[in-house]
């Protein structure tokens, strides 16, 4: 047993610091090499014919992408992980891997918006039908399952409104009817929720967010259990999708500090969320770790932490004024940037667009403002938010 093999039993930050790459496998260098590759040369014709060498072509993996995939497998407890060029690709590839024409997929209504567009446009064109379900449905999802339902896609907490889902109940029902279950687990990362331990077959991550952590990389990962890995692996090879060596390297580098960054994101976000609860101008705070949040019990039962993104609902009775008040809030911010994505070191804010919802309808109390709490000093962030609330109030 080498030093590397002993890592799985250690604490999470020890594992994050050492998983994926064994320094002794590459001259003792602490970090893996960044291998830029298409062609791999074979030693002789027989090896070329049998393809029995470890590496065969750049799209099928390199020492750099393997190091990242091994680290993610270690965190997820998965049989295999594929690396993709974005988080959105990490959603679309597993769908393509397990669905065929004539199949039906159940998708949570609070899903990441572009996932819905992929289902409603591309999957629909390929003869696959999607039905959107209430995130709080739990075991009652059984009523929506059809004989041709092959996949139940979950995302918890939901995008922008953070509804929790009863993942163990959904996986039990789905599996009972022969359907696989996928989960977009980007919010929690495998540090705060391990989907495969709760019965999920395919765990999806926009590694763009917390693993990369610095708003300079797009990358996605999908990790599968033993039974689902062959289909996922085959689809990925057929589609020719692969993460670049530089971005894979940087994401592995990001993983090394993800535990300590997440602790800070968690602490600051909770502190700010609590300070905003009940504050004039704020109708609701949508954060699963708050006792007041409707899905809090599920979060407490299944998750072991919360990350740095949540929403507030501004208290704006007049629906006609939602847009103007939200814009006044956003325009008054000086530390928070106005931009998409999250999980980076810096704070961001967005006025959430929930117009595509069909079941989990937008709150009536006012516009939803999503806050990504970065690594800045939380006191400064709170002052920025309070100024923005005052500006929204005055608008
Ligand atoms: C929950 C969730 N999943 C997937 C993605 C897609 O990630 P990417 O931006 O890397 O395509 C995002 C991006 O915001 C997201 O919020």
């Amino acid at each position: 047993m080498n030093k590397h093999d002993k890592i799985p039993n250690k604490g999470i930050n020890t594992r994050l610091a050492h998983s994926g790459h064994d320094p002794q496998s590459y001259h003792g260098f602490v970090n893996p090499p960044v291998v830029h590759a298409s062609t791999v040369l074979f030693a002789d014709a027989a090896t070329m014919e049998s393809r029995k060498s470890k590496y065969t072509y750049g799209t099928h993996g390199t020492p750099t992408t393997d190091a990242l995939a091994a680290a993610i497998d270690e965190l997820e407890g998965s049989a295999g992980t594929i690396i993709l060029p974005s988080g959105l690709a990490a959603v679309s590839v597993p769908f393509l891997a397990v669905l065929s024409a004539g199949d039906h997929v159940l998708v949570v209504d609070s899903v990441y918006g572009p996932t819905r567009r992929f289902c409603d446009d591309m999957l629909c064109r390929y003869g696959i039908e999607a039905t959107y379900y209430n995130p709080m449905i739990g075991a009652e999802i059984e009523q929506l399952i059809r004989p041709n339902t092959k996949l139940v896609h979950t995302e918890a907490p939901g995008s922008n409104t953070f509804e929790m889902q009863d993942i163990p109940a959904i996986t039990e029902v789905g599996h009972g009817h022969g359907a696989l279950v996928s989960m977009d687990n980007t919010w929690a990362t495998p540090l705060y929720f391990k989907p495969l331990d709760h019965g999920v077959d395919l765990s999806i991550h926009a590694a763009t967010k917390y693993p990369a952590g610095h708003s300079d990389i797009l990358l996605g990962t999908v990790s599968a259990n033993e039974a689902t890995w062959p289909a996922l692996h085959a689809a990925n090879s057929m589609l020719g999708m692969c993460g670049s060596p530089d971005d894979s390297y940087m994401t592995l580098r990001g993983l090394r500090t993800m535990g300590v960054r997440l602790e800070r994101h968690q602490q600051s976000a909770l502190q700010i969320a609590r300070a905003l609860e009940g504050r004039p101008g704020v109708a609701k705070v949508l954060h699963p770790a708050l006792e007041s949040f409707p899905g809090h019990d599920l979060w407490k039962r299944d998750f072991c932490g919360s990350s740095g993104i949540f929403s507030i609902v501004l208290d704006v009775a007049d629906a006609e004024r939602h847009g103007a008040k939200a814009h006044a809030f956003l325009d008054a911010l000086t530390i928070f940037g106005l931009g998409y994505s999250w999980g980076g070191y810096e704070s961001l804010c967005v006025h959430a667009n929930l117009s595509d919802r069909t079941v989990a309808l937008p709150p009536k109390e006012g516009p939803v403002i999503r806050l990504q709490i970065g690594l800045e000093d939380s006191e400064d962030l709170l002052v920025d938010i309070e100024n923005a609330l005052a500006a929204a109030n005055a608008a």
Side-chain angles (χ1 to χ4, degrees), residues 31-75:
N31 292 299
V34 181
V35 176
H36 292 97
S38 53
T39 302
V40 178
L41 297 180
F42 298 91
D44 50 47
T47 317
M48 189 178 197
E49 188 100 356
S50 66
R51 297 174 70 85
K52 277 209 175 118
S53 49
K54 180 159 187 202
Y55 297 104
T56 54
Y57 194 64
T59 48
H60 302 307
T62 65
T64 319
T65 55
D66 276 5
L68 176 61
I72 303 278
D73 277 337
E74 215 275 301
L75 296 174

Side-chain angles (χ1 to χ4, degrees), residues 86-89 91 112 155 159 184 186-187 206-209 218-220 341-342 370:
S86 71
L88 181 54
V91 179
Y112 172 58
E155 181 181 322
S159 275
D184 185 330
T186 303
W187 185 85
T208 304
K209 319 297 179 197
L218 286 163
L219 209 81
S341 205
W342 44 283
R370 193 184 75 181

